[in-house]
Amino acid sequence: MNQRPLSPHLQIWRWGPHMLVSILHRATGDGMALVGLAVLLWWLGALASGPEAYATFQSVMGSVPGMIVLVGLSWAFFTHMMSGLRHFVLDIGAGYELDTNRMWSIAAPVIAIVCTAAFWAVIMLG
């Protein structure tokens, strides 16, 4: 009887950028669902509670930890979106060539970082 495992696992597969992008896609989706929902509910609650509650929300989100959360959420959004677009292309049957797949697996998070930086540059400067 052959001693090989019945299904592949992480000890068999060699790590590549496509695996990182797949994990980031799941992590950013979960992060946006949990953290993003908490921030959204806090914002809506503060908005409905009056000027004092909204001022508290603004001061917390305008502080360094709040800005880290907001930048992190926008990075998660762009990372998830770029990975989703990559998966969309794969779902239509394109991009399965090894070099193409590797290139877009590396490009997706890089494009997400550039988009996040551009987004915050527009917000801060414009």
Side-chain angles (χ1 to χ4, degrees):
M1 182 79 184
N2 196 346
Q3 295 300 317
R4 293 182 357 185
L6 296 177
S7 62
H9 50 81
L10 290 178
Q11 293 173 342
I12 300 294
W13 293 107
R14 193 178 69 161
W15 272 88
H18 58 286
M19 293 174 82
L20 175 65
V21 170
S22 180
I23 292 168
L24 279 176
H25 186 76
R26 290 175 176 88
T28 56
D30 290 345
M32 285 189 301
L34 297 174
V35 177
L37 181 62
V39 171
L40 176 66
L41 290 176
W42 184 19
W43 175 69
L44 289 172
L47 197 60
S49 297
E52 292 175 10
Y54 192 71
T56 302
F57 174 82
Q58 282 184 313
S59 67
V60 171
M61 286 296 122
S63 68
V64 173
M67 291 301 290
I68 290 171
V69 168
L70 293 177
V71 169
L73 281 171
S74 61
W75 170 81
F77 170 76
F78 287 116
T79 300
H80 196 76
M81 182 176 68
M82 290 298 121
S83 177
L85 289 173
R86 178 181 164 268
H87 281 281
F88 176 72
V89 170
L90 292 172
D91 287 344
I92 61 173
Y96 279 103
E97 299 79 21
L98 291 179
D99 290 336
T100 304
N101 194 346
R102 181 176 177 79
M103 190 236 353
W104 284 111
S105 295
I106 294 169
V110 171
I111 293 170
I113 291 169
V114 170
C115 288
T116 303
F119 174 77
W120 282 100
V122 167
I123 287 177
M124 295 299 201
L125 301 176

